[in-house]
Amino acid sequence: MQGFAAMLGAIAIYLLRKLLWVALFVAIGIGAGVLLDKQAPKVYCSEAIVRSNNLAIPVVVDNISKLNNLCRQRNYRELALQLNISELDAEKISTLSAQYGLFTSNDRLDHSEQPLYYAEKYAWNDTTLTVSKFVRVVVEVFDEDVYPTLMQGLLTFISNNAFGYKMNLLRVEQLREQIAYVEKEIATLQQVQATYTASSNTPTVQLDLNGALQKSEQVQLHEAINRLYYSKISLEREYTLFTQPATVVSDFSKTYRPTVSLLKRTTATSAVTVALGLMALLLWENRKRNGIVARKA
């Protein structure tokens, strides 16, 4: 412990002795960082939440990862073709990635409509988490004006899947039929309920043959109608909000801040120049010391 403290003390003394050199290296690093910041392209990051209504989220995540491979390969022509955007707009996209929207057991108990937890990877044998219909898309771009075009391109990309398109048409038709069926069932039960109300004075609670309490038919009808109403509300909500193959829940938004700021860049370049400069000084002093010893010998 004492040896380590002595080493730290020696380093501190050495840095104090070379304070002017350190200041010079910092200045060089700041200058290099400013020049690099002016030359390097600015990269901006944003994210959006999309609900897939036709395809399973693992399929959507896998498809978006394929788009990211095109970005890495700088195959902007194919990327533009897949997203149905111009090649000029495709060149503004640096990276694309997607994250699974996951429900925890607490979320299911609370009947949460949207997941609060997103992850790039998901263990399929993890029974504490359930994959939702939501996906978070994270994008890095060179020009934030491309966000609206990119979002429309992603929606087109998700919707243009032939199997998913047919699945969505079938889902919407089945929703329409389910709503009509539930409405018919509600009307039928309401007629029965009205007949009981007009012709019966049956108490709400009765005794069965064993003397146990049981609900009357009127109460059971009322509860059945309520359950059908809740089912109708859920179906109508799905039919009203999510008839398209994919729905934007939260769109990309401009941050106006590059992922690597000028401060971060100058700090990094200053640290590098100070480290390299001190190493060069140590090598020079060591070489100079060895030269003096050699001459004396």
Side-chain angles (χ1 to χ4, degrees):
M1 188 67 182
Q2 291 180 349
F4 181 72
M7 183 181 68
L8 290 179
I11 293 174
I13 293 172
Y14 180 80
L15 291 176
L16 287 174
R17 287 173 51 200
K18 304 298 181 181
L19 191 59
L20 291 178
W21 281 105
V22 171
L24 177 62
F25 296 147
V26 169
I28 294 173
I30 292 175
V34 171
L35 290 175
L36 185 61
D37 187 73
K38 289 183 178 180
Q39 297 295 327
K42 301 291 190 299
V43 178
Y44 305 88
C45 183
S46 186
E47 59 187 39
I49 306 295
V50 177
R51 185 185 191 266
S52 175
N53 305 320
N54 60 345
L55 295 174
I57 287 303
V59 177
V60 177
V61 171
D62 184 61
N63 288 341
I64 291 178
S65 68
K66 293 176 182 177
L67 292 179
N68 191 48
N69 289 336
L70 296 176
C71 293
R72 291 178 177 177
Q73 297 167 7
R74 297 186 179 181
N75 189 349
Y76 298 118
R77 183 175 181 180
E78 182 63 23
L79 181 64
L81 183 63
Q82 293 292 328
L83 293 174
N84 195 28
I85 62 178
S86 68
E87 192 169 340
L88 184 62
D89 284 331
E91 291 175 357
K92 298 177 182 178
I93 304 170
S94 177
T95 62
L96 275 167
S97 62
Q99 301 172 357
Y100 298 95
L102 302 173
F103 283 121
T104 65
S105 55
N106 291 334
D107 294 333
R108 292 194 294 271
L109 291 175
D110 296 337
H111 302 288
S112 300
E113 295 185 355
Q114 294 184 32
L116 300 177
Y117 179 67
Y118 290 85
E120 294 182 359
K121 295 182 179 180
Y122 169 67
W124 301 107
N125 59 350
D126 188 350
T127 57
T128 64
L129 297 173
T130 304
V131 178
S132 70
K133 295 182 179 180
F134 296 85
V135 62
R136 175 190 284 166
V137 182
V138 181
V139 61
E140 290 185 343
V141 299
F142 301 112
D143 183 356
E144 292 195 296
D145 290 334
V146 79
Y147 287 149
T149 303
L150 174 58
M151 176 52 71
Q152 188 56 48
L154 285 172
L155 291 177
T156 302
F157 176 72
I158 297 173
S159 305
N160 278 349
N161 181 283
F163 174 76
Y165 181 77
K166 292 179 180 179
M167 282 287 295
N168 191 64
L169 289 178
L170 178 61
R171 182 182 64 87
V172 173
E173 180 61 28
Q174 288 177 336
L175 281 172
R176 190 183 297 112
E177 292 176 353
Q178 286 176 314
I179 292 171
Y181 175 78
V182 170
E183 289 177 341
K184 183 178 178 180
E185 288 293 299
I186 290 174
T188 301
L189 291 181
Q190 284 178 333
Q191 289 179 355
V192 175
Q193 186 183 47
T195 303
Y196 268 103
T197 302
S199 61
S200 176
N201 293 320
T202 306
T204 57
V205 177
Q206 299 174 331
L207 295 175
D208 62 13
L209 295 177
N210 297 322
L213 293 176
Q214 64 176 5
K215 298 176 182 177
S216 69
E217 292 183 358
Q218 283 180 282
V219 174
Q220 293 178 40
L221 278 170
H222 179 73
E223 291 178 348
I225 291 172
N226 281 344
R227 286 194 296 269
L228 287 172
Y229 263 115
Y230 283 122
S231 177
K232 179 187 174 184
I233 290 171
S234 178
L235 291 169
E236 287 179 337
R237 180 180 179 278
E238 185 78 12
Y239 183 76
T240 302
L241 298 178
F242 306 115
T243 53
Q244 298 301 316
T247 304
V248 179
V249 178
S250 175
D251 206 343
F252 296 119
S253 60
K254 293 183 178 181
T255 62
Y256 302 100
R257 293 181 179 179
T259 54
V260 181
S261 65
L262 177 61
L263 178 61
K264 288 182 179 179
R265 201 181 296 276
T266 54
T267 300
T269 53
S270 296
V272 171
T273 53
V274 168
L276 293 177
L278 290 176
M279 288 176 61
L281 275 178
L282 286 172
L283 290 173
W284 172 255
E285 290 178 353
N286 186 56
R287 184 178 179 182
K288 186 177 180 181
R289 190 180 300 112
N290 290 338
I292 294 173
V293 171
R295 284 197 299 270
K296 287 182 177 180

